[in-house]
Structures are given as structure tokens and as C-alpha cells.
Amino acid sequence: MSGVRTQVAIIGAGPAGLLLGQLLHRAGVDAVILEQRTPEYVLSRIRAGVLEQGTVNLLEQAGVGKRLRAEALTHGGVEIAVNHRRRRIALQDLIGKTVTVYGQTEMTRDLMDARKECGATSVYEAESVQLHGIDGTSPSVTYTHDGEQRRLECDFIAGCDGCHGVSRRSIPQEKLTSYERVYPFGWLGVLADVPPAWDELIYVSSERGFALASMRSATRVRCYVQCPLDDHVEQWSDERFWDEFKLRVGPEVAVRMTIGPSIEKSIAPLRSFVAEPLRFGRLYLAGDAAHIVPPTGAKGLNLAASDVFYLYEGLLEFYVERSSRALDEYSTRALHRVWQAVRFSWWMTTLLHHFPNEDAFAARVRAAELDYLFGSPLAQRVLAENYVGLPL
Ligand SMILES: Cc1cc2nc3c(=O)[nH]c(=O)nc-3n(C[C@H](O)[C@H](O)[C@H](O)COP(=O)(O)OP(=O)(O)OC[C@H]3O[C@@H](n4cnc5c(N)ncnc54)[C@H](O)[C@@H]3O)c2cc1C
């Protein structure tokens, strides 16, 4: 078995792993990324698209802000629509902050390109990744690549391998506490190359269910409708999707829409999940490896970035100041922000979706809460503060 040594072994080349790798590289800390898929597969996953300012700042710090600065859209507001009545939540006026629309795919591509350019090691198609000695001071990772068994010795392992990865599963079950809420619906999403008929995202609560009018650029839309969990993509022709979407967003928006063929269509189930603590010995979990939020609050990707920020600070303090204080505090610091986002994402999901078994009382309370949001600048401010992202 051939062996290599690095300071930090990063499992997973999603946004969390790539961002951590780039920040560490610029700080002079050596890291190797092991990813089980090909770069093309990683880039083909269509996911998030709304970045908080804190995430944008981290991308700048990682040296990958150039294309984002040129191509991203800045949004100073977001709309909530209830049965075709729309209310703009003026993020910039209410709290002086904006959000940035830039696809997760583009951010991932920028980070991959930067990593390639600086010559840092990423191993794609790393199979059978296994973690060893995480409860001691000399952990290592074994994997198979090109049919050859390899070993990576390291000081620390960053588990950035998403919710189905090997990292969280390597922690003894009795050392983790999990919290979960499964929602009784999914999101059917369509990506299409047509200009959006809306200037800012519209979150729609309608009698037919939730919808989200979103975009990735001035020429590409990403739209969603709430659907039953047992629906299949094959049941949803493009025509059926757009007809349903138009009914939910209402005639005022529908009449301005250009329709185009889908270039991607998928159904994502919605759930909230947290496993804590985020550390076991020398293994640190970050991003979806430790927590999942429903996409309603646009928080998943941003939480991955904030975890990375805290972990990066901890690793830097260890290597520069020879202190493990910030690493010891990583889980507590990251989880504080995680739970704030879990709460907000749960609240947005509960407020805007149609729950199949909702009783009359719950429906009236939900309607009252939406009424309150529409009428109260203070309630709008609370939404705005959470939507743009709480401070790091
Ligand atoms: C369908 C879908 C839609 C979403 N939409 C939104 C949205 O609109 N807004 C939002 O904010 N968030 C959204 N999210 C969430 C957001 O995409 C995630 O929070 C984000 O991708 C987390 O990044 P990550 O790097 O932690 O994990 P991931 O992006 O999951 O990356 C983990 C990486 O680890 C690799 N890996 C897994 N197992 C192994 C292993 N054993 N060995 C080596 N590598 C491994 C995977 O191949 C992957 O490349 C969505 C998620 C999904 C699934």
C-alpha cells in the first residue's frame, strides 16, 4: 500500500471541502481532498443558488471572487406571495444587507479551477474511503484509486462528505445525538434557459401548495413546486410543471413568463437533521455531513461555508499559534449558528407549505402569521435578518 502524508485530510469535494482546502492552501497549510465521484459528476449536481454576504466574503478570502463579482446578481429584496397577494421584504432598506444569486455549481467550478491552478492535490474517484485512528493523535485515511490501495497519514480529518458520506458513520453511534424532522412533501425543481419574469426570488404560499420562483442568472431560471413525496419526475412533463407553477405564482407573474424546456428536473425530499457534536477526536464534521436543512430558507450551502470558517480558524490557530483552543470550541461555535438556521428554515417551511394533514386550527394560525408578516415591518425585519444570514 503506497502512502503519503498531509496536515489535513479532507473527505469530499463539495462546496465545504473545496472551500476549506482553498482557505488552508492560502494560509500555507497542506491539505489533500479525497472525493469519491468525478469532477464532472460533482459539477452536474444542481442545488443551491443564494449566497449570504458571509459566504461571499469567504470566497473572496479564498481567492475565487473574480467571476462571482462579474456575473452574480445582487438582490436587495425578496418577495412573499400568499394566494397571489405579494409583499416585498426589502432586505436592504430593513437591515442594510443584500443576498447574492450565484449557482452552487459555479461556485464549485471556481473553487475546483483555483485548486487545479495552485497545484494542490485532489484525488477524484477515490473508492472505499475509510477513516482510521480518529480517536488518537495520528489519524489516517485509506482508499482505493486506479485499482491501488493507498494510505493518507494526517494530523486532522475534515469530514465534508455530505449526508451519506463515510465520516459521520465512522463516529461511534453512542457518541452522537441526532435530531430529525421529516416533512411530508418534496420539491420538484426545474432548471431552464429562459430569462426570469421576476427581479427577485418569490416564495409562494398558495392553496395548491408552495412554489419558488428563483433564478441562477439573467438568462437561467430555477423554479420549484411542492409535490407529494411519492411523486416521480417522469409524472411531470415540462408542460405539466409550467402549468402548475403558473397557477401557483398567479396571473400577474404568469403572463410575463417565457417558457423553455427543462435542462434539469429533480425531486428533493425535505428534512431537518442535526448530529452533534461536530467533533470526535481528530475528526471534524462540516456542512451536510453534520446537518441538513430544508431549502426554504436558502441556508444549506451557507451553513457549510460558516462551518468551514470556524474550522479554518481552529486549524489555523493550531498550526500558527500551536493552540487547540479554537479547535476545541469548533463544535459549540458552529452548532450555535446551525441551530439558528435550522429554526429559521423550519419556520419558513412551516409557514409557506401546504401540509397534507393540517387541521383547521393550524391552517388559521398559519394564515394569521402570514397576515402579521405582511402588516408588520418588525416581523419583516426579523425575516430579513435571518434570510441574509446571522453574523459569523
Ligand atoms: C437536491 C438538493 C437541492 C438543494 N437546494 C438547495 C438550495 O436551493 N439552497 C441551499 O442553500 N441549499 C440547497 N441544498 C443544500 C446544499 O446543496 C448543501 O447544503 C451543500 O451542497 C452542502 O455542501 P457540502 O460540501 O457540505 O456537501 P455536498 O455538496 O453533499 O458534498 C459532499 C461531497 O462528498 C462526496 N462524498 C460523499 N461520500 C464520500 C466518500 N465516502 N468518500 C469521498 N467523498 C465522498 C460527495 O460525492 C460530494 O461531492 C440542496 C441540496 C440538495 C440535495
Side-chain angles (χ1 to χ4, degrees), residues 305-323:
S306 60
D307 284 357
V308 162
F309 170 73
Y310 298 127
L311 184 52
Y312 164 69
E313 281 203 337
L315 290 167
L316 209 59
E317 199 168 298
F318 178 85
Y319 285 114
V320 176
E321 296 170 28
R322 293 277 142 205
S323 159

Side-chain angles (χ1 to χ4, degrees), residues 11-17 34-37 42 45-50 104 126 129 160-166 169 187 216 224 266 268 286-289 295 298-302 304:
I11 318 297
L34 302 177
E35 163 63 50
Q36 68 177 1
R37 304 288 193 161
V42 173
R45 290 187 299 223
I46 305 300
R47 293 181 170 181
V50 177
Q104 176 169 332
V129 171
C160 303
D161 47 351
C163 89
H164 303 296
V166 65
R169 280 189 278 119
W187 277 19
R216 289 292 181 265
Y224 298 94
S266 52
D288 277 18
K299 291 284 165 256
L301 174 59
N302 292 299

